[in-house]
Structure formats: structure tokens, C-alpha cells
Amino acid sequence: MNVIATLPDELEAQLRAELDAIGTARGGAGVSDDYLRFWERVARAQAKAQAAIRGNRLAPPTPERPEATGQLTAAEAAFDDRLLLALLEEVAEGAPDQEPGEQAPALLNAAWEEPDLLRRLATAATIGGDARPLQETASRLDIPSGNLLFLVQILARPFLVEARLRRPGSTEHDTRMLDTASGRCPACGAHPGLAVLRTGDGARRLVCLLCDETWLAPRLMCTSCGTRDQEALATLHVAEDDPRWIEVCDACHRYLKTVDQWRMTEADPLIPRAEDARTLHLDLIAEREGYVRPAL
Ligand SMILES: [Zn+2]
Ligand SMILES: [Zn+2]
């Protein structure tokens, strides 16, 4: 079945660019083919889900209100039981017998038994910011809660991206400078998945890997705990000239992967989710050094 051919032009172009970018990571240090194949399958399934959300108008349009700039609401996200299940079925299909997708079949079995499970988890894990339903389900299914969160965020993403795109002015990226103590995504409340030093002015642009929002933040600030104490902030480099590194915080022991767009070549366009997948080796280094990626 040619999944890509059924997508609207814009989603198809995005998916092709993402698959190309994931493909460039093949053979890179610390990145297994299984891992990249998993992300390719996820990207295809998510693009299809986005097309379904748009095409079926499963979600009501966001009411025209000038203040529609705060966090997305559950009504805007409009998580749909059947579509969440269909997406999980595709993600679970042929999931490798190792991380990251290994728990998908267990979650799928539970979702078949309990039709609103995925919607409850997707809401709690994203805009709800409530870890309890995830922890309860993880312990009931006897799977690590971090792995469950990982899967639920994959399922929630197409809904959050589409909900954000329905908002007026949603394409005006990078216009907001974050000036609060929280480094979280202004649209969905997630921790940023990546920081990019923007070409041109070198501004620090944070990227949400859940809803694709981008926003600006001060250069020297932990986006997890908000500290600006320079004593607590450090970087981990693989090589001095590598355009990708890790920014760590010794106040909260969390980290953020950072890409310097200045040092990237034209032929190497930055596609945030592909960038996240290809820098798995940086996650492993950060974890080995005792830092964790912020979860909820
Ligand atoms: Zn977001
Ligand atoms: Zn911190």
C-alpha cells in the first residue's frame, strides 16, 4: 500500500523531507537501523493521521478569539478514540523487539479492552500535564512509565500539530521571546525537544517536538528549571567542531540537545524530528553522564 500517495500535497512534502532527513542519519554513530526504521514508520503513520484529522474534520475549528494564544485546550486537541487506536495499530505493526517501540503491542491490547484509554492518556500526558494516569496504566500493564509516555506522545502529536495549525497566526514562528521562568512550549506545555541557534542572528530557538511550535528563549537559561545561574549551566561536546551538542543543568540534572544552524551546510536542512532521531547518540552520552531528558 502506498501510504504517501494518499496524503495532501503539503503533508506529503513534509513527510518526504522528514524521511529524507531521517535517511541521512543512516550509518551514523550510535544510531541503529531498527531505530531509524521505527521513526520512519511513525512519521508515515502520523502524517496519515494528520490527513485524517484535516479531511474528516474530526476536530471543531478553533473559535475566532483574539486570545487564542494560551495553551491548547482539550476541546482544541480533540483526541479521537478511533483515530488514536488506528495510529497505535500502525506504530505497533512490526515494532522491533527492543526499544523504542517494544511496548506498543501491550498498549494496543489494553486499548482494545478500554476504548477511551488512549484519549485519557494522551490528554494527561500532554495538555493535562498529569503523570498519574500514565503511572497507573504503566504499572497495570507492567511496562516502564517512560516507555508508555514515549508512545502516548507519538499518538498525541498529530492532534496537537493540527490543533495548533488551526489557530490564527499559527505560522508566525519565532515571534515570541520567552520571558517567564518556564521554558515550556507556549502552545502545548511540553518541554522543548531541541534548541537551535538560528542562522542570521544566532538567537536561541526552542522547538516543541509534540506540536511543532517554536519560540525564542534567552541564551543562558535552563529551559527545564529556569535557572540562569551560569555556574550550573554547562555543555557536553562530542567534538569541538560538531554543530550538535548537549546543554546540561547541574541544578535540575536535565539536558537539552542543541544544534548550531550556522555550522550546518545548505545540503543539510534542519528538520527537527529527524534531527532528534539522528542525535540519539547525544541522548546516550547525556544519560551516561547522569542527566535526564525532561519528561512531563
Ligand atoms: Zn508544543
Ligand atoms: Zn535546570
Side-chain angles (χ1 to χ4, degrees), residues 222 224-227 249 251-253:
C222 170
S224 196
C225 72
T227 188
C249 173
C252 68
H253 299 285

Side-chain angles (χ1 to χ4, degrees), residues 5-281:
T6 64
L7 296 175
D9 289 351
E10 188 198 349
L11 287 176
E12 183 180 329
Q14 275 175 17
L15 175 59
R16 286 192 186 283
E18 195 163 359
L19 293 177
D20 283 351
I22 293 174
T24 62
R26 212 150 252 130
V31 185
S32 76
D33 275 3
D34 266 358
Y35 183 78
L36 295 176
R37 265 196 296 276
F38 174 78
W39 277 114
E40 286 168 352
R41 191 171 62 249
V42 166
R44 284 198 181 89
Q46 287 176 326
K48 258 174 80 175
Q50 270 187 260
I53 292 166
R54 278 185 207 184
N56 300 341
R57 297 191 191 285
L58 285 168
T62 302
E64 292 285 338
R65 52 189 174 91
E67 75 275 23
T69 51
Q71 274 205 17
L72 292 165
T73 63
E76 284 180 277
F79 294 119
D80 178 82
D81 292 333
R82 282 173 52 199
L83 191 50
L84 285 164
L85 187 66
L87 179 51
L88 178 58
E89 281 169 346
E90 292 209 17
V91 170
E93 197 178 315
D97 281 343
Q98 58 188 41
E99 290 183 273
E102 64 174 344
Q103 266 91 19
L107 180 59
L108 187 57
N109 282 333
W112 278 327
E113 301 282 316
E114 201 180 327
D116 70 345
L117 176 67
L118 298 178
R119 178 158 45 92
R120 286 195 300 107
L121 293 177
T123 307
T126 60
I127 50 183
D130 181 3
R132 279 169 307 174
L134 281 155
Q135 285 159 356
E136 283 163 17
T137 305
S139 97
R140 184 159 56 89
L141 302 181
D142 196 21
I143 63 182
S145 61
N147 295 28
L148 180 60
L149 175 63
F150 172 83
L151 285 170
V152 170
Q153 287 179 331
I154 285 173
L155 303 181
R157 178 182 148 88
F159 295 88
L160 296 172
V161 171
E162 289 298 311
R164 197 182 55 73
L165 289 175
R166 282 193 298 272
R167 284 185 158 183
S170 63
T171 52
E172 296 160 18
H173 282 299
D174 290 357
T175 52
R176 276 157 293 177
M177 172 63 86
L178 192 75
D179 58 1
T180 68
S182 158
R184 288 173 179 258
C185 171
C188 79
H191 288 286
L194 207 62
V196 179
L197 303 186
R198 187 167 66 177
T199 324
D201 59 3
R204 188 192 197 196
R205 178 175 161 236
L206 302 180
V207 182
C208 178
L209 298 175
L210 267 188
C211 76
D212 281 352
E213 179 65 290
T214 64
W215 65 106
L216 301 179
R219 183 70 192 85
L220 288 172
M221 182 188 92
C222 170
T223 58
S224 196
C225 72
T227 188
R228 297 180 192 225
D229 176 6
Q230 295 190 27
E231 299 281 298
L233 303 172
T235 55
L236 298 176
H237 289 264
V238 175
E240 199 53 52
D241 58 348
D242 196 328
R244 302 168 169 90
W245 64 85
I246 312 155
E247 304 205 327
V248 300
C249 173
D250 285 320
C252 68
H253 299 285
R254 295 190 176 118
Y255 72 90
L256 180 65
K257 293 189 286 191
T258 298
V259 181
D260 188 351
Q261 212 164 7
W262 278 100
R263 296 197 230 170
M264 311 257 300
T265 60
E266 289 293 323
D268 206 5
L270 196 132
I271 299 188
R273 287 214 311 154
E275 189 62 35
D276 183 44
R278 71 184 291 175
T279 51
L280 177 67
H281 62 291

